Amino acid sequence: MSQQGQPLRAVAARVLQSVENGQSLSQCLPHAMGDVADNERPPLQALCYGTCRWFHRLDGELQTRLKKPLRKSDRVVHHLMLVALFQLRFSQQATYAILNETVEACRALDKPHLTGLVNGVLRAAEREGEPPLADEAGRFSHPPWMLEKLRHNWPHDWQAILETNNTQAPMTLRVNALRFSRDDYLQLLSDAGIDAKATLFAPHGIQLTAPVPVDLLPWFSEGAVSVQDEAAQLCTTLMDLAPGQRVLDACAAPGGKTCAILESCGQLEEVVAIDESADRLPRVQENLERLDLAATLKQADAADIDQWWDRKPFDRILLDVPCSATGVIRRHPDIKLLRRESDIVPLASIQLGLLESMWQVLAPGGRLVYATCSVFPQENHRIIRRFLKQQDNAALVEPDVLWGRDMETGRQMLPVPESHDGFFYAVLEKPEP
């Protein structure tokens, strides 16, 4: 029981219900943290992320154990039992504690009439063990539509993608090249007793053997490093940055790539960072201030160039478009619950529209890097193919890199265990007149 009087599992069940109702963990979990004691916040996060990660597997088991679905008004108890099943199947906590505290949480949720059901279901689950699941959605713990789409798009890789999605991503850092070399920072980590190694492809990347709180990282608050996946760091290696350039980071929040751009080249004329969300722009500013960097921030829809563009073209543009985020599911397992197959076509329309708008603000001789954290071709190389068919003054640049797969109109990275996330990059240049 937390000092605020809310049982941990009851709070987790409410968070999961919010996710089922369409909120992301990043939206609802911070509010829920106020309902538990400080020392219970990490366990709450682990419960919510873990249950989302294994939701379809746990839900498959729970449905076999329930004679009939709970009423909609009692749905939160369904989520409570999923949390308990997650602990039974994936934690080392004592079974009696899981059962007893889940029954107490049921009462705290004002559902005392369901305590007998909860107790019976969980005791049977503990006694009988996990049943075999007949369907692939349960076995791989992904929604059926996503599983089938991955199977269709990646016939030789779909199982590896699904299995990687169910792992926990490593903690990866980007060294601020304006402050430290990577070798020097690796030595600082070693001196601090933190085991780490250089990333394979990102020149300023470091991967930790085990995650640590950021306040344990040497000089973190002074801007020495940022937390950023290796795949996301690669954007700057494709932009061909040089002093004097005017650079645009469209769809910039939370600002990791904006900061990476500024760190990569210290004498840029200006970096403009745009995001449509007023709530997310302060995070960009916080990251800039910690790293002692400066950029021009604008709240705007990047596609509506009349709203924000000053008619001065950009030499370089990073267009990290809104996408299904299917390449970062291991970091955001709630994507499995939030994303729908019907989202993909509208997202592709937004992506192509943004690309068309950004092309208008790119200077002749300029370069645009298109990026997604998706593994679906519909959002990636097919978007570039469609754009090239309709834009006769766009030239595709084939990067000379060792990472990713050549998709003819870009490079696709699939998520790799203990390594980078899934990402797609394409590089386009506008010829001089």
Side-chain angles (χ1 to χ4, degrees), residues 239 241-249 261 267-272 296 298 308-317 361-363 367:
M239 294 185 73
L241 296 167
Q245 292 173 342
R246 190 177 196 229
V247 181
L248 172 65
D249 182 4
I261 288 168
Q267 297 176 313
L268 297 169
E269 177 188 327
E270 182 185 24
V271 173
V272 177
T296 303
K298 296 185 179 184
W308 61 269
W309 187 37
D310 59 6
R311 304 297 160 181
K312 184 178 179 183
F314 293 92
D315 304 294
R316 296 290 184 270
I317 296 176
V361 305
L362 182 66
R367 173 176 288 201

Side-chain angles (χ1 to χ4, degrees), residues 327-368:
V328 293
I329 285 175
R330 60 185 184 167
R331 296 185 189 278
H332 304 283
D334 49 331
I335 290 168
K336 297 181 187 180
L337 283 72
L338 297 170
R339 194 64 66 222
R340 301 287 182 268
E341 186 173 14
S342 58
D343 296 336
I344 306 304
V345 170
L347 280 168
S349 178
I350 291 169
Q351 291 152 3
L352 185 59
L354 279 164
L355 187 51
E356 292 166 347
S357 295
M358 293 304 93
W359 200 251
Q360 297 178 57
V361 305
L362 182 66
R367 173 176 288 201
L368 183 150

